């Protein structure tokens, strides 16, 4: 069995490293800000790699599963995102490939590709989260426009978004899944109001969004009226496949080993050498390797044109569990220095303890949300029980 990389894959790896090194040389690392994001996007775009997950028919580079794997590892090791463009790039584009009209594809995909327009996801409502099909935000056809009234909640990034892809209720008849329609809404439309929600980690990411008589052209409906549930379900599997967090966990594991080597444990040992800690860390590392293999298997099926299906629930569930465990290890390592640190609320903190420990409590708290976002753990277990185990 050949487990090493082929010469083509090694050449690809070298090209990836070259692009990363040229764009962010040592001494000028990626800082996550908008300017650096644009620099990274432009660098990838020179090679057509900014749309690395798009099908060849829509201009994608047609990477193999192994190339995707290499790209994920190389970009994560350099602290870079594997793609930029947020929910438009990763979530809406696959829907437009499958359900968009040629006009919708021509109108929206170029802006997503150029990272010119930010999208947010308007699914959840105060009474419709896990039971998403219970959503009530109403859209009524009035001539060639839909008129929308209602509210969405937990809308990540709505305060920065230009557009929303949104699930609306267009009929009360029949099964509740059948009366749902998928609409694209310009966030600057009169009647759209964004209300900020600050979360426990001190950050403003969430919002509540209200709609009062908001009009969107019927031409912005993706799929047929009443077909929104099918459209949304397809999108969710793409969202969940992207929530295995393998690269993130791998980079956290590497940093964690460094941190644990710098912290004293019991009996004069380094924490990293403490048998109890080291055993638990190894177990997490083994589970992470198994998850990485499962992700690779799924990516390879997706590359061959298959939909990720219920496997995406497994990836999400296990990936969430492991990334949360990493954040717990960090808090354990940091000990008292992991005290809550809310710079957005309290201003810059006085530094106490090692620098690496500073953001760990925020990361830990932020990590809790992963069990809920994109469908809670319990819902993923229900999906696995039904569609994989056939219970
Ligand atoms: C970080 C983050 C980002 C998010 N971003 C967005 C976004 O951009 N757009 C958007 O639309 N939404 C977003 N959400 C919302 C998210 O999709 C919902 O929070 C999620 O679907 C759960 O819904 P809920 O909060 O209403 O909880 P509920 O559905 O009220 O669930 C409460 C509890 O009951 C359990 N439960 C519910 N039903 C069942 C069942 N049938 N069987 C077993 N247990 C059950 C749940 O697991 C949970 O523990 C985001 C959430 C988070 C945490």
């Amino acid at each position: 069995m050949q487990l090493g990389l082929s010469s083509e894959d090694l050449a690809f790896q070298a090209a990836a490293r070259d692009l990363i090194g040229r764009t962010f040389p040592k001494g000028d690392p990626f800082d996550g800000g908008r300017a650096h994001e644009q620099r990274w996007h432009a660098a990838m775009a020179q090679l057509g790699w900014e749309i690395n997950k798009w099908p060849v028919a829509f201009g994608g580079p047609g990477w193999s599963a192994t190339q995707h794997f290499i790209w994920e590892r190389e970009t994560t090791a350099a602290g870079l995102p594997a793609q930029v463009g947020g929910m438009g790039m990763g979530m809406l584009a696959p829907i437009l490939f499958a359900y968009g009209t040629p006009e919708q594809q021509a109108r929206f995909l170029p802006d997503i590709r150029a990272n010119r327009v930010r999208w947010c996801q308007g699914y959840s409502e105060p009474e419709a989260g896990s039971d998403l099909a219970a959503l009530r935000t109403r859209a009524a056809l009035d001539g060639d426009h839909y008129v929308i009234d209602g509210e969405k909640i937990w809308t990540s990034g709505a305060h920065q978004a230009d557009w929303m892809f949104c699930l609306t209720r267009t009929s009360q008849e029949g099964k509740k899944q059948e009366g749902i329609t998928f609409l694209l809404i310009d966030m600057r439309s009169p009647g759209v109001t964004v209300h900020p929600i600050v979360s426990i980690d001190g950050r403003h990411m969430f919002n509540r969004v209200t709609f009062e008589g908001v009009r969107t052209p019927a031409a912005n409906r993706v799929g047929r009226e009443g077909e929104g549930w099918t459209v949304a379900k397809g999108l969710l599997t793409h969202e969940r496949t992207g929530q295995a967090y393998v690269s993130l966990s791998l980079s956290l594991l590497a940093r964690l080993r460094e941190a644990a080597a710098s912290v004293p444990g019991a009996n004069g040992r380094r924490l990293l050498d403490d048998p109890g800690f080291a055993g638990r860390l190894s177990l997490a590392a083994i589970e992470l390797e198994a998850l990485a293999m499962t992700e690779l298997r799924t990516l390879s099926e997706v590359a061959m044109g298959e939909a990720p299906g219920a496997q995406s629930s497994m990836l999400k569930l296990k990936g969430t569990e492991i990334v949360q465990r990493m954040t717990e290890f960090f808090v354990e390592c940091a000990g008292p220095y992991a005290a809550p640190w809310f710079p957005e609320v309290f201003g810059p903190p006085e530094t106490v303890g090692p620098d690496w420990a500073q953001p760990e409590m925020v990361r830990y708290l932020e990590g809790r949300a992963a069990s809920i976002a994109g469908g809670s753990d319990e819902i993923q277990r229900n999906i696995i029980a039904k569609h994989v185990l056939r219970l």
Side-chain angles (χ1 to χ4, degrees):
M1 188 166 48
Q2 171 64 34
L3 285 176
L5 294 178
S6 68
S7 53
E8 289 82 13
D9 289 335
L10 285 169
F12 175 78
Q13 185 182 50
R17 286 184 180 169
D18 177 58
L19 182 71
I20 292 167
R22 272 190 289 119
T23 315
F24 292 103
K26 282 198 170 42
D28 182 18
F30 181 71
D31 66 8
R34 183 77 176 157
H36 272 192
E37 184 186 285
Q38 277 166 342
R39 191 202 294 182
W40 182 222
H41 180 269
M44 289 190 287
Q46 280 173 7
L47 302 175
W49 289 5
E50 83 285 23
I51 48 168
N52 58 68
K53 294 205 175 111
W54 289 18
V56 174
F58 288 92
W63 287 354
S64 66
T66 313
Q67 287 175 312
H68 280 291
F69 181 80
I70 293 169
W71 180 248
E72 279 275 333
R73 295 295 175 275
E74 294 299 328
T75 48
T76 306
L80 285 160
Q83 66 177 12
V84 298
M87 294 186 179
M89 181 71 85
M91 289 160 68
L92 180 62
I95 287 305
L96 292 177
F97 302 149
Y99 296 97
T101 60
E103 293 73 28
Q104 287 168 341
Q105 291 169 352
R107 168 150 188 224
F108 294 110
L109 289 175
D111 280 342
I112 293 176
R113 178 173 186 165
N115 195 22
R116 268 194 295 266
V117 165
R118 292 188 192 211
W119 287 84
C120 64
Q121 177 190 37
Y123 280 21
S124 308
E125 296 183 10
E127 303 294 327
S130 303
D131 185 14
L132 186 57
L135 62 92
R136 288 192 295 216
T137 291
R138 223 174 135 251
L141 202 53
D142 175 23
D144 57 1
H145 279 70
Y146 282 98
V147 182
I148 302 141
D149 287 280
E151 67 178 317
K152 295 288 168 183
I153 198 162
W154 313 124
T155 324
S156 307
H159 54 303
Q160 294 159 334
D162 306 292
W163 282 79
M164 172 189 278
F165 49 91
C166 184
L167 288 179
T168 60
R169 177 152 304 284
T170 40
S171 165
Q172 307 282 353
E173 306 294 318
K175 275 173 57 184
K176 56 189 179 182
Q177 286 84 354
E178 286 164 10
I180 294 175
T181 298
F182 194 100
L183 295 178
L184 308 179
I185 301 171
D186 186 336
M187 292 294 280
R188 283 159 307 195
S189 311
V192 175
T193 311
V194 177
H195 311 261
I197 302 174
V198 175
S199 45
I200 191 175
D201 57 14
R203 303 210 279 191
H204 173 204
M205 178 181 85
F206 290 130
N207 302 276
R208 187 168 66 88
V209 181
T210 51
F211 305 93
E212 286 171 276
V214 174
R215 297 177 75 82
T216 197
N220 288 347
R221 185 189 68 221
V222 181
R224 283 191 288 272
E225 188 169 295
E227 206 185 41
W229 188 248
T230 310
V231 176
K233 272 204 308 193
L235 199 153
L236 279 173
T237 59
H238 284 281
E239 179 178 0
R240 286 172 191 154
T241 308
Q243 286 174 327
Y245 308 114
V246 172
S247 297
L248 174 64
S249 287
L250 282 170
S251 74
L252 288 177
L253 180 64
R255 284 210 303 110
L256 189 55
R257 288 196 168 115
E258 279 173 30
S262 70
V263 173
N267 301 324
R269 291 194 191 96
R270 303 180 305 171
L271 183 60
L272 186 63
D273 301 326
D274 178 273
F277 184 86
R280 285 185 288 124
L281 193 59
S282 300
L283 194 60
I286 292 165
E287 290 183 29
L288 179 54
E289 273 307 311
L291 181 73
M293 288 298 150
T294 312
E295 185 190 49
L296 196 55
R297 188 157 49 87
T298 310
L299 280 176
S300 131
E301 286 164 11
V302 171
M304 282 155 60
E306 288 176 36
Q311 215 158 299
S312 63
S313 294
M314 206 165 73
L315 285 173
K316 198 223 157 194
L317 192 59
K318 199 67 200 171
T320 299
E321 188 193 309
I322 294 175
V323 82
Q324 287 177 341
R325 227 183 303 160
M326 295 296 158
T327 67
E328 285 159 21
F329 280 129
F330 265 112
V331 170
E332 191 176 338
C333 265
Y337 301 126
W341 178 61
F342 287 10
E344 288 86 347
V345 179
F346 300 121
E350 285 180 33
T351 307
V352 182
D355 283 350
W356 61 261
Q358 293 295 312
E360 290 313 328
M361 182 55 82
V362 169
R363 210 194 294 271
Y364 167 82
L365 292 170
E366 187 188 50
R368 302 301 95 191
S371 300
I372 307 167
S376 69
D377 285 359
E378 289 80 3
I379 296 304
Q380 305 313 317
R381 288 196 180 94
N382 285 349
I383 293 172
I384 293 166
K386 200 166 153 196
H387 297 285
V388 181
L389 305 174
R390 312 256 168 230
L391 296 175

